[in-house]
Each structure stands twice: as structure tokens, then as C-alpha cells.
Amino acid sequence: MATMGEERLNRGLIALIVIVATIGGFMFGYDSGVINGTQDGLKAAFGLGEVGLGIAVAALLPGCAVGAFMAGRLADTMGRRNVMMLSALVFIISALIAGAAPSSIVFILSRVAAGLAVGAASVLAPVYISEVTPAAIRGRLATLQQIMIISGLTGAFLVNYWLASTAGHSTAIFWMGYPAWRWMFWAQVIPAGIYLLTLFLIPDSPRFLVMRGKYAEAEDVLGRILGRGVAKQKTDEIRASLAQDQHRPRLSDLLDKNTGKVRKIVWAGIGLAVFQQFVGINIVFYYGSVLWQSVGFSENDSLLINILSGTLSILACIIAVFTVDKVGRKPLLLIGSAGMTVTLAVVAAMFSTGSLVNGSLQLSDSNGTIALIAANLYVIFFNASWGPVMWVMLGEMFPNQIRGSGLAVSGFAQWAANFAISVSFPALASGVGLPITYGFYAAAAFISFFFVRSMVHETRGRELEDMKG
């Protein structure tokens, strides 16, 4: 095995690869966050009630689940880069249709299509980065995906805030006779176009190339990234790791050959994916403006709180960048679980002190402040741990032979859990109330601590060819 000292890293090419791949993360965040701030416009344009709004908001997520599953499988046949290009095209087309949608049905279908691209981007960027970067710095580079996701969310919040404030309101006419909320979707075309064009500048994954028998191409890519001196040796290592299974990757590889049961590593990936959503993070990003308005903040203040949460998320992700390859993946997950349990419990407790005024929960000034501080501390804990680390681990924890299939199943589980949490929130909030709803998220964070302790193994510093499962 070549050491970092023997490798002559082409840091410029590595930087280009990471930047381009994580634009997909930016689009993932932008497309997920753009819905936050358009909800008044959707209600007004399509006459949606709470259930209809929940479906419209969550329409992205079934597409994400399918997109993640399909991308994981397609990546083993078409290549990581080609599937990312396909997702970039879908980002552009779906954004144009969503903004122009004449009915709720067309809008929902456009968001489902956008979900296909989001799901693909969510799983392909971390695995692509993991497959082209050295083990010693793989964690921090893959963590940049989460920073770009949050940057995309924050970018959507900023654009939405600027459009709404410039027009006067999200439903007010902004430009060319169209209301501001429609332009919130159309603005996505710019970063999606940049994503598509820059993908032509980077190579495909050398591990995919080896998987397809393109050994010379794989060695050339590794030579450009790691240096010619170690390229052949690394190519041979990848070939050796795949030689144990001569067939092309397939879903049945997820089953243990001896027992016929799903491999433990697959259950670990599914668990990481599901718990990341069951702690409720996307309620903050999908429903943040509605949530804070419901406890007494104005629309403008609520949108500004979204921007604050996004900024804090980016800063927390930077903490993960500098610690994930030093402290390790598992310790960060455990710290995050503990911190989220406490902060979510505080938010639930504060919401339990509120009283209903005209159908809305009203908190005292002091309790509202405590709830806001606890919610943002929760965002910090999540984005310094579970937010980036789950994606890092999904990109690196599976052996080469099952990486695409493992990602497909785990990515599907992540987005299915996201859908379940997001679509249920409006009904839960108005039914059992915010205290019990947030109490559930706190309980999930508590359970996730013990899941990590028993099921998750450290992957820091290990070569992808050494992953077992």
C-alpha cells in the first residue's frame, strides 16, 4: 500500500473534483430549501389546505427515495459522473416546470422529478469523493458535501428572503407579471447550469473504471490524482479487492453468502440513514418559517431565523471538517446524539408552556427565546456530527463490490424516512401538538446514541479496499 509520503497528490485536481462534485450537494440543499418561503404562494395559487400543503412540501421526497435508489444502481452501470450529469439536467427542467406550474398536480409532479435529481446528488457526491481521494483526507473532503448542502439551503433562504422583501411578500408580483414565489423556483436554473457544465471538467471514478475492466483509464486517473509512481499499485489493489467477486455488482450481494440474511453492514447503513431523519432536522429547514410564525414571530423574522440557522449550520460543518479525520466518525456521532437529545428535549419543554391564541401556539418572550436558542444549538450539534458524518460513512463504509447497492438501499431508506417525518409534521403539530412532536424527535436522538455504540464501526483512515462487511 502506498503511503501519503509516496503519493504525489495533485491537489489542484483534487480540489476541482471536490468542488464540482459538491455543487450537487449545493443543488440538493437548494432544491430542498426553496420550498421554505413559497408556502403562502402555494396555498394562494392552488387553494391548498394543511394536508394539501404537506403533500406539496413533501412531494420532493418520494422522488428523492427513488432517485437515490436508482442512482446507486445506475452508478455501477453508467458511471458516477454520467449519472451526476443526468441529475443536473433534471434539476434544470424540474425548476422551470415548478415555477410555471398551472396547477397543484403539475407542481407536485415537477417536485417529484426534482426529487430524482436530489436523491441522485445526495448519494453520488459522497461516494464519488470517497473513491477519488486519499484515505487520510477522505473524511474532511467528503464532509464538504454537507457544507454545500447547507450552503444550498442558506442560498435558497437568502434568495427567497430577497425576492419576498423586494416584492413586498412572497405572493406579490415581482417581475414579468409573475409572483415572487415562482421566481424562487426559477432561480435554481443558474446553479444547476453551472453544475452541469463543470461536470465535463472532472474524470470518472477510478474504482468504477476498474469495475468495468477499463484498467488503463483507471490507472491514468489515479496517476493524475495520486502521482504516476503509485497509480499502477493502487489500480492492482482495487482489482484485487474486486477479484473475490467476479460478477458485476447486484442487489443480491447485500445478502450474506453463508446465512442468506442481510449483511450487518447494510443494516448499519440503513440505521444511520433513518436516524439522521428521525431526529427531525428537515422540519427546521422545510417548515422553519411556518414553525416560528406559529409561535409568534413575523414572516420576515421567521425568514431571518432560517438564515441564522443556515449560517450556524455551515459553521458547525466546518467543525466537522477539522475533526472527522482526527477524532473519528463514531465519536462525533455519539456526541451529536447526546447533544441533540438534550436540545430537542428543551425545545419540547418550552413548547409545552405555550398557550393557544386564535389557533396558534404563543410562548412568553423568555420561553420563546429559550426555544430559539435550543433549536439553534440542536442545529449546531446535528451539523457538527450526524449531518456530514452519515454521508461520509455511507460513501466509504461499504466494500467495493456492494458500494453501489449499499448506497441504493441506504439512500432509499434515508429519503423514505425524510418523507415520513416531513409529511407527518403538519398533522402532528396540529393534532398531538408541538411538544409531543418534538418529544418524538428527542427520543429518536436518544435511541440513536445506543445504535451507534452497538452497530457502527470506525472507518477513519482505512482504505476503501480494506472495508469489510
Side-chain angles (χ1 to χ4, degrees):
M1 180 72 64
T3 66
M4 285 293 291
E6 294 168 320
E7 294 172 351
R8 295 186 177 181
L9 301 183
N10 185 339
R11 298 185 183 278
L13 179 57
I14 292 173
L16 177 65
I17 286 170
V18 173
I19 290 170
V20 172
T22 55
I23 296 175
F26 183 91
M27 290 307 307
F28 167 5
Y30 199 109
D31 227 333
S32 298
V34 70
I35 198 73
N36 194 335
T38 67
Q39 293 170 33
D40 287 344
L42 294 173
K43 285 182 179 179
F46 306 136
L48 300 177
E50 290 304 314
V51 174
L53 178 63
I55 293 172
V57 169
L60 184 81
L61 304 177
C64 292
V66 175
F69 183 82
M70 290 176 59
R73 300 296 297 130
L74 285 174
D76 284 338
T77 56
M78 293 176 58
R80 281 59 164 154
R81 188 184 67 160
N82 287 339
V83 180
M84 287 191 283
M85 287 179 173
L86 182 60
S87 70
L89 281 172
V90 176
F91 273 127
I92 294 170
I93 295 169
S94 62
L96 293 172
I97 295 175
S103 67
S104 60
I105 296 298
V106 173
F107 176 81
I108 289 170
L109 290 175
S110 72
R111 293 295 287 167
V112 171
L116 297 174
V118 171
S122 71
V123 299
L124 289 180
V127 73
Y128 177 81
I129 292 170
S130 294
E131 289 187 342
V132 299
T133 55
I137 59 174
R138 186 178 64 226
R140 74 190 71 167
L141 295 179
T143 298
L144 295 175
Q145 162 82 346
Q146 183 69 11
I147 294 180
M148 290 296 278
I149 292 171
I150 302 304
S151 297
L153 283 162
T154 307
F157 297 156
L158 286 167
V159 171
N160 287 2
Y161 176 74
W162 180 80
L163 288 169
S165 60
T166 301
H169 193 273
S170 61
T171 57
I173 299 301
F174 173 67
W175 193 31
M176 295 175 64
Y178 294 104
W181 71 267
R182 292 188 181 273
W183 286 101
M184 293 176 185
F185 292 106
W186 289 333
Q188 297 175 78
V189 173
I190 297 173
I194 294 172
Y195 181 39
L196 177 60
L197 293 175
T198 54
L199 282 167
F200 286 94
L201 303 177
I202 61 175
D204 214 328
S205 161
R207 287 171 173 85
F208 166 74
L209 293 172
V210 170
M211 193 182 300
R212 303 296 289 180
K214 299 179 179 180
Y215 307 126
E217 291 181 42
E219 186 175 336
D220 179 65
V221 172
L222 287 167
R224 291 164 58 195
I225 295 172
L226 303 177
R228 301 295 173 186
V230 299
K232 187 178 188 309
Q233 180 182 349
K234 189 64 183 173
T235 303
D236 290 342
E237 290 172 2
I238 298 170
R239 291 181 67 176
S241 73
L242 292 170
Q244 301 170 15
D245 292 287
Q246 296 294 334
H247 63 273
R248 289 184 178 178
R250 57 196 182 198
L251 278 175
S252 61
D253 294 330
L254 300 181
L255 302 178
D256 187 286
K257 292 180 180 179
N258 298 319
T259 65
K261 296 180 180 179
V262 176
R263 298 188 192 194
K264 184 178 178 181
I265 191 70
V266 177
W267 285 120
I270 291 172
L272 285 170
V274 169
F275 275 115
Q276 195 213 39
Q277 291 305 306
F278 274 17
V279 298
I281 187 63
N282 281 320
I283 298 307
V284 174
F285 291 122
Y286 294 162
Y287 292 101
S289 62
V290 175
L291 172 64
W292 293 115
Q293 286 180 68
S294 73
V295 293
F297 291 86
S298 68
E299 181 188 47
N300 274 352
D301 286 342
S302 298
L303 290 172
L304 286 173
I305 290 171
N306 285 341
I307 295 171
L308 171 63
S309 296
T311 303
L312 290 173
S313 296
I314 294 172
L315 294 175
C317 286
I318 293 173
I319 295 174
V321 168
F322 288 103
T323 56
V324 70
D325 284 324
K326 295 179 180 179
V327 175
R329 284 66 158 152
K330 188 170 182 175
L332 287 181
L333 290 173
L334 292 171
I335 292 169
S337 293
M340 291 188 295
T341 299
V342 173
T343 51
L344 284 167
V346 171
V347 173
M350 292 303 99
F351 284 163
S352 70
T353 66
S355 57
L356 288 176
V357 178
N358 297 324
S360 297
L361 183 68
Q362 298 294 311
L363 304 181
S364 67
D365 288 344
S366 60
N367 286 351
T369 300
I370 293 172
L372 181 60
I373 292 172
N376 280 297
L377 286 173
Y378 155 70
V379 167
I380 291 172
F381 274 111
F382 177 87
N383 284 290
S385 60
W386 277 81
V389 173
M390 186 216 71
W391 292 115
V392 171
M393 294 206 70
L394 289 189
E396 68 185 11
M397 66 189 288
F398 298 109
N400 281 337
Q401 182 68 23
I402 69 166
R403 187 166 299 118
S405 298
L407 272 170
V409 172
S410 299
F412 181 89
Q414 200 265 355
W415 286 107
N418 190 328
F419 176 78
I421 292 297
S422 300
V423 78
S424 65
F425 176 74
L428 286 174
S430 61
V432 300
L434 289 174
I436 294 177
T437 303
Y438 271 75
F440 170 81
Y441 305 147
F446 179 74
I447 296 170
S448 73
F449 181 90
F450 298 96
F451 170 82
V452 171
R453 284 188 61 183
S454 63
M455 291 289 289
V456 175
H457 299 291
E458 184 60 63
T459 55
R460 176 171 64 100
R462 294 176 60 190
E463 293 289 342
L464 297 187
E465 285 64 55
D466 298 330
M467 300 297 176
K468 305 297 181 183

